[in-house]
Amino acid sequence: MLRTTRSPRLPRPTAATIPAVLSLLLLAPGLAACDGPLQQPTPATISPATPDVSPGSERTSASPAGTTTTPMPSWPDDGSPAPPAGTTADVASWDFPTSAPGWTAAVRDQDGVNQLTRADGCQLTSQQNPVDTAASGGDRQESESRIEASRQAYEQAGVTDLSYSSSEDVASIHGLGGSSIVETIRMDLSYTGADGNQYTGVRWFRAFTRMRTPMLLQLSYFCPAPAYDATALDALLKDVSIIGASPTGMDG
């Protein structure tokens, strides 16, 4: 039986939002596709939905030691048309640690995905995808719509006993260097996986719709329920940040 709790009046997801969310769910523990159990991904098998990121692109800034910055799209040259009014010429991306004590880098810069894993089954995963903003209601609506999209994606992935809550988070995610807080939509959840084990996790969503290349950034932390370690998460978040977050507020 699927049991959910939800926040009221969240935007409904479009058909385009669910694949992007589902692609990140495939990295979470204990999930199964309709045709059988999912295997833990490796860099050679991950295929997130439509990340338009070129693996050979140059980075716009050097990454601090021990972090990785997912390559970003190339911008048009100086002769290209200017972006629409109200947009910026920057792109948002994750600055993600390549190592941490007790953690292993399972995925590095694969189609917008990075992941650290721990021997007890805990996972920290980031993903970024270009997002279609043709019918966008702005950063907040695009971010909030991922909650319902996630619920549907978890249901498709075969979980049971799904319970979740959502909130606006103005404390957890920082801009590069820790100088600013980046507003995100947070989803705290638990579920029983297809393997019969219980899992606990948290996910963050933030869409940047006013950039030349609008992006959706997602971050997740999951553990088998007995192994969930909030202290470890707090330590990891000190080394996770968003590069080029503009604006930092969803309504800014």
Side-chain angles (χ1 to χ4, degrees), residues 86 138-140 183 206 209-210 246-252:
D139 291 11
R140 180 176 294 278
E183 290 183 353
R206 176 58 195 269
T209 62
R210 284 166 279 183
S246 178
T248 55
M250 288 183 286
D251 303 313

Side-chain angles (χ1 to χ4, degrees), residues 132-139 141-142 209:
D132 183 4
T133 59
S136 171
D139 291 11
Q141 181 172 321
E142 284 292 323
T209 62

